[in-house]
Amino acid sequence: MKLTGKEKSELIFEGFITAGLIYLLYLAVLIISDQLVEISPNLKDSIWIFKTSVTIGNVKILSYKMIFIVILIITGGIAVFWRLKRRYKQMQLRHVISELHYIAEGHYDHRIPFELSGDMSKVVNSIHVLVDSTVAAMDEERKIEQSKDELITNVSHDIRTPLTSIIGYLGLIEDKQYQNEEELLKYTHTAYIKAKQMKILVEDLFEYTKVRQHTTPLNLSEFDMVKLLDQLAADFELDAEKKGMTIEVLQGTPSIPMEADAEKIVRVFNNLISNALKYGVGGKKITIEAQKIGKEVIISVNNDGPEIPEESLNQLFDRFYRVEESRSQETGGTGLGLAIAQSIVTLHGGYIYARSDTHLTSFVLHLPLKQQSNEDRARN
């Protein structure tokens, strides 16, 4: 740490003051001791015996004052060193506080530039760690705020479009601007469809915010994953036929007993299969395959539809992201389906990812066979 001229002057002044005080103390002790010797003959004789008997090398000590001089030099040196070191540490602390005030003014990328030793070094390192954690927390807070703003913007966009249609058609009905009953029914039907779109969006948004909370309780139950997938395939069979596709569960394993929140797991596969039917245009089949490996089950939902671009794979699970550029709900859903699926899988202690090529698009889930209790999850 580089000292300023003023600080160097302070150290020199401190040294002189300390030396002066020690010298005054020496004089006081010397005067008192001389007076004691003069008034005490026995003490004077003892000092004479000590002077004539104690030698340093071959030199006899002829004056007890020499002892005080040696003690003065040693004590003075120690005292001056201790005082200067103490004052130097105070100056170090002053510099650290000055640097800390500079950081607190908003210069969060600034770090204390000088190196210190001992406890002061630990203090400086602790300050750096604290500043780094504070900056990280502020960045995270900004991301959260930005995420909230994006959520509000996207929800506003997706609600405003159907709401505008509902108000428009109901306005036509209110003003009796229809030619016949058939046209009236057309207006009411369109308003009804748009209202259902809004309802789906609100339900998905509610589900998304709920499963994003890690403290959300799971209603755990034991079930057979293979049977669950068979039932889901049967539920979507009619929808698949309408799209000119087939849906099949490839049973490599006859039974996979596991523990999970069955209702939420069904929601995951409903979203994945619905996506495969909606976006796998031109494809002929959807296959679901499950296998047990160690303490987890790996399930893949595959379709032979169009390839998902590489740049879109990492964003598929972002809320409101759609591979198609438009945000039309005629061709796409709410944009929350995959985000909800990922949150549910994460809530179960698993993970999900997508891969795609010209032959096959797959969504792969890894789920543990056994779940922690809600109390254990809350502690973790």
Side-chain angles (χ1 to χ4, degrees), residues 232-247 270 273-278 283-284 286:
L232 285 165
D235 293 341
F236 279 94
E237 186 175 0
L238 183 59
D239 291 332
E241 288 180 1
K242 292 179 181 178
K243 296 281 188 177
M245 304 175 74
T246 60
I247 183 168
N270 280 341
I273 297 172
S274 296
N275 269 18
L277 291 172
K278 190 176 298 179
K284 298 298 181 184
I286 297 173

Side-chain angles (χ1 to χ4, degrees), residues 150-215:
E150 291 175 354
L151 176 63
I152 293 172
T153 300
N154 291 328
V155 170
S156 300
H157 179 281
D158 284 358
I159 287 181
R160 182 176 56 193
T161 302
L163 185 59
T164 301
S165 297
I166 292 172
I167 293 174
Y169 283 109
L170 291 180
L172 292 175
I173 296 173
E174 179 73 15
D175 297 336
K176 301 187 183 306
Q177 295 185 25
Y178 50 87
Q179 302 297 325
N180 48 49
E181 185 177 349
E182 182 180 352
E183 196 171 52
L184 172 62
L185 291 175
K186 177 184 176 181
Y187 291 167
T188 56
H189 177 72
T190 304
Y192 173 70
I193 295 299
K194 297 297 180 181
K196 286 181 63 178
Q197 288 179 0
M198 289 180 59
K199 181 175 182 291
I200 292 172
L201 174 62
V202 171
E203 289 177 345
D204 281 354
L205 185 61
F206 175 75
E207 182 70 17
Y208 173 76
T209 55
K210 185 171 66 173
V211 297
R212 285 283 292 177
Q213 300 174 13
H214 297 295
T215 55

Side-chain angles (χ1 to χ4, degrees), residues 67-134:
I67 299 175
F68 286 108
I69 293 173
V70 174
I71 294 174
L72 171 67
I73 293 172
I74 295 174
T75 305
I78 294 173
V80 170
F81 175 77
W82 177 78
R83 291 282 296 180
L84 293 180
K85 184 177 180 181
R86 182 170 174 269
R87 178 55 63 92
Y88 181 71
K89 286 186 175 294
Q90 290 176 347
M91 292 177 179
Q92 286 181 333
L93 182 60
R94 195 161 60 202
H95 279 259
V96 169
I97 292 174
S98 177
E99 295 287 338
L100 189 56
H101 284 168
Y102 181 74
I103 293 173
E105 289 173 357
H107 306 92
Y108 300 115
D109 57 342
H110 178 73
R111 294 296 178 269
I112 297 175
F114 44 83
E115 292 185 3
L116 304 173
S117 59
D119 292 337
M120 290 302 297
S121 176
K122 295 178 182 178
V123 171
V124 170
N125 291 334
S126 298
I127 289 173
H128 288 168
V129 171
L130 177 62
V131 172
D132 289 339
S133 62
T134 301

Side-chain angles (χ1 to χ4, degrees), residues 106-363:
H107 306 92
Y108 300 115
D109 57 342
H110 178 73
R111 294 296 178 269
I112 297 175
F114 44 83
E115 292 185 3
L116 304 173
S117 59
D119 292 337
M120 290 302 297
S121 176
K122 295 178 182 178
V123 171
V124 170
N125 291 334
S126 298
I127 289 173
H128 288 168
V129 171
L130 177 62
V131 172
D132 289 339
S133 62
T134 301
V135 170
M138 291 172 64
D139 289 341
E140 184 65 24
E141 185 68 23
R142 278 194 290 266
K143 289 179 181 178
I144 292 173
E145 289 299 322
Q146 182 181 0
S147 179
K148 289 179 180 178
D149 292 341
E150 291 175 354
L151 176 63
I152 293 172
T153 300
N154 291 328
V155 170
S156 300
H157 179 281
D158 284 358
I159 287 181
R160 182 176 56 193
T161 302
L163 185 59
T164 301
S165 297
I166 292 172
I167 293 174
Y169 283 109
L170 291 180
L172 292 175
I173 296 173
E174 179 73 15
D175 297 336
K176 301 187 183 306
Q177 295 185 25
Y178 50 87
Q179 302 297 325
N180 48 49
E181 185 177 349
E182 182 180 352
E183 196 171 52
L184 172 62
L185 291 175
K186 177 184 176 181
Y187 291 167
T188 56
H189 177 72
T190 304
Y192 173 70
I193 295 299
K194 297 297 180 181
K196 286 181 63 178
Q197 288 179 0
M198 289 180 59
K199 181 175 182 291
I200 292 172
L201 174 62
V202 171
E203 289 177 345
D204 281 354
L205 185 61
F206 175 75
E207 182 70 17
Y208 173 76
T209 55
K210 185 171 66 173
V211 297
R212 285 283 292 177
Q213 300 174 13
H214 297 295
T215 55
T216 299
L218 296 176
N219 297 318
L220 300 177
S221 62
E222 294 184 357
F223 59 91
D224 187 338
M225 177 58 78
V226 175
K227 291 183 178 179
L228 179 67
L229 295 176
D230 285 335
Q231 182 61 49
L232 285 165
D235 293 341
F236 279 94
E237 186 175 0
L238 183 59
D239 291 332
E241 288 180 1
K242 292 179 181 178
K243 296 281 188 177
M245 304 175 74
T246 60
I247 183 168
E248 179 184 4
V249 178
L250 304 178
Q251 296 186 354
T253 305
S255 177
I256 304 178
M258 65 176 294
E259 182 185 59
D261 188 325
E263 183 179 349
K264 286 183 171 59
I265 294 297
V266 168
R267 178 64 185 268
V268 171
F269 288 108
N270 280 341
N271 290 349
L272 294 179
I273 297 172
S274 296
N275 269 18
L277 291 172
K278 190 176 298 179
Y279 299 111
V281 180
K284 298 298 181 184
K285 63 180 180 180
I286 297 173
T287 58
I288 307 173
E289 185 175 5
Q291 54 181 328
K292 176 184 174 183
I293 298 180
K295 295 183 178 181
E296 68 176 6
V297 57
I298 302 175
I299 309 157
S300 59
V301 179
N302 318 295
N303 72 84
D304 57 352
E307 178 183 5
I308 297 175
E310 181 70 26
E311 62 272 12
S312 297
L313 283 176
N314 294 330
Q315 303 179 64
L316 283 176
F317 299 98
D318 294 346
R319 64 189 183 200
F320 295 110
Y321 180 80
R322 295 171 186 157
V323 177
E324 49 150 354
E325 294 297 326
S326 69
R327 294 189 55 78
S328 170
Q329 289 184 337
E330 301 299 329
T331 57
T334 62
L336 290 170
L338 291 180
I340 291 172
Q342 183 187 51
S343 296
I344 292 175
V345 172
T346 302
L347 204 58
H348 281 80
Y351 60 95
I352 181 174
Y353 61 91
R355 59 189 180 210
S356 183
D357 55 33
T358 54
H359 303 292
L360 204 66
T361 294
S362 302
F363 288 86

